[in-house]
Amino acid sequence: MVHLRTLIFTIVMFPWMLSSAAKSEYMEARKPKTDVSISDYGDLDTDSAVAPKADELPTCLLCVCLTGSVYCEEVSPEMSNVPALPKETAYLYARFNKITKIKNKDFADMATLKRIDLTGNLITEIEDGAFSKLPNLEELTLAENRLTKLPMLPTKLISLNANFNKLKTQGVKSSAFKKLTRLAYLYLGNNQLEAIPHLPESIHTVHLNNNNITTLTDETFCRGNNTHYIRSNMEEVRLDGNPLLLAQHPNSFICLHTLPIGKYH
């Protein structure tokens, strides 16, 4: 009888004991682990938590790359250099970043480039060879930077926009545009120029407003010794905002279709 009772007790209690032990083990595993030290995980690379800089990221991860076009506008983290471009890039838009300098190597061997827009950066210097070896570059926008001089420019350039810089006369040679026989649109407004550089016959539009230009000559736009000369391509000239009295230079515009636009005193 005693053995029978023992057997019945064992049959009833053993499953309960197993269940209780399993529950205790489960609850212990769920307890939050405290007092964890760095040694519990070995040597951690603390630098891996630091966000990578723009220069360390692949261009097409940092920017938007479409077929032939790269858009790097207001990049975060801040972009301070021109990124490495895919070889087939024809159009680069790197506006409103923190680029400070354009180097010769930035566009080396980029024969496909047709348009570069660097508006709204902090560019103070452009090395002379940065653009001059781009055989197909037609449009270059450098507006809203801090340039005091222009670099050498490619001969096929059609449009140059350098409005809102700090360009000075000594930084823009009188012959800077002489060999640019396709240049049609030239924007040099809101700078510190005191003289007007030579303008090629191809020019359609030239904006020189809000500079420090004080004088003109009969040769600035026309040919003073040729009263029959007509500058047929030039359609728009802006000189407003300069310390210049147009009335003192009546022969400076006789070859143009229209007088300079803008408000003059």
Side-chain angles (χ1 to χ4, degrees):
M1 179 64 70
V2 173
H3 293 297
L4 180 59
R5 288 178 180 176
T6 302
L7 179 60
I8 293 171
F9 178 81
T10 302
I11 293 171
V12 172
M13 295 301 295
F14 185 69
W16 179 85
M17 292 171 65
L18 285 177
S19 175
S20 178
K23 183 177 181 181
S24 297
E25 183 178 350
Y26 172 74
M27 294 303 292
E28 183 67 26
R30 291 198 58 172
K31 287 183 180 179
K33 190 174 181 180
T34 58
D35 300 326
V36 178
S37 68
I38 195 92
S39 61
D40 293 325
Y41 296 98
D43 294 330
L44 291 178
D45 182 6
T46 55
D47 290 339
S48 63
V50 179
K53 296 180 180 179
D55 298 343
E56 298 170 352
L57 294 172
T59 299
C60 292
L61 179 62
L62 191 66
C63 308
V64 175
C65 296
L66 302 175
T67 304
S69 299
V70 177
Y71 299 85
C72 301
E73 302 188 345
E74 297 183 276
V75 170
S76 180
E78 293 180 347
M79 177 187 288
S80 58
N81 295 291
V82 175
L85 300 175
K87 289 295 183 183
E88 71 278 6
T89 304
Y91 306 100
L92 169 65
Y93 303 90
R95 298 181 288 205
F96 307 110
N97 292 294
K98 304 293 183 182
I99 299 171
T100 58
K101 182 178 180 179
I102 307 299
K103 308 176 187 71
N104 288 340
K105 66 178 183 178
D106 289 339
F107 301 111
D109 303 318
M110 294 299 298
T112 54
L113 272 171
K114 293 182 178 180
R115 180 186 301 158
I116 297 173
D117 191 341
L118 296 166
T119 298
N121 280 277
L122 304 173
I123 302 170
T124 58
E125 180 184 356
I126 300 176
E127 294 182 355
D128 257 347
F131 303 125
S132 61
K133 296 179 181 179
L134 299 176
N136 294 303
L137 190 66
E138 296 179 344
E139 298 180 41
L140 177 60
T141 302
L142 302 169
E144 299 176 46
N145 279 283
R146 301 178 180 181
L147 293 169
T148 57
K149 66 176 184 176
L150 290 177
M152 293 176 61
L153 299 167
T155 56
K156 290 186 178 180
L157 202 63
I158 293 174
S159 176
L160 173 66
N161 186 340
N163 284 337
F164 292 96
N165 275 276
K166 298 181 179 180
L167 294 174
K168 301 178 183 296
T169 298
Q170 57 268 34
V172 182
K173 299 177 180 178
S174 61
S175 60
F177 312 112
K178 192 172 184 178
K179 295 181 179 180
L180 307 187
T181 57
R182 298 180 63 192
L183 187 66
Y185 305 97
L186 179 62
Y187 303 98
L188 298 176
N190 295 87
N191 281 284
Q192 299 171 19
L193 299 174
E194 297 175 355
I196 299 175
H198 173 85
L199 301 172
E201 291 288 328
S202 55
I203 289 285
H204 285 229
T205 299
V206 57
H207 287 188
L208 294 160
N209 50 299
N210 300 317
N211 278 279
N212 297 320
I213 300 168
T214 57
T215 188
L216 294 170
T217 72
D218 295 349
E219 302 289 333
T220 301
F221 299 105
C222 305
R223 298 174 184 172
N225 59 352
N226 185 352
T227 56
H228 299 289
Y229 169 72
I230 300 295
R231 190 153 195 160
S232 57
N233 287 328
M234 190 169 287
E235 298 172 348
E236 183 175 301
V237 177
R238 279 195 67 178
L239 289 168
D240 51 310
N242 286 283
L244 181 69
L245 293 175
L246 299 191
Q248 294 180 352
H249 309 278
N251 295 324
S252 296
F253 311 105
I254 58 173
C255 67
L256 304 182
H257 292 298
T258 60
L259 291 173
I261 63 173
K263 295 182 179 180
Y264 300 89
H265 297 292

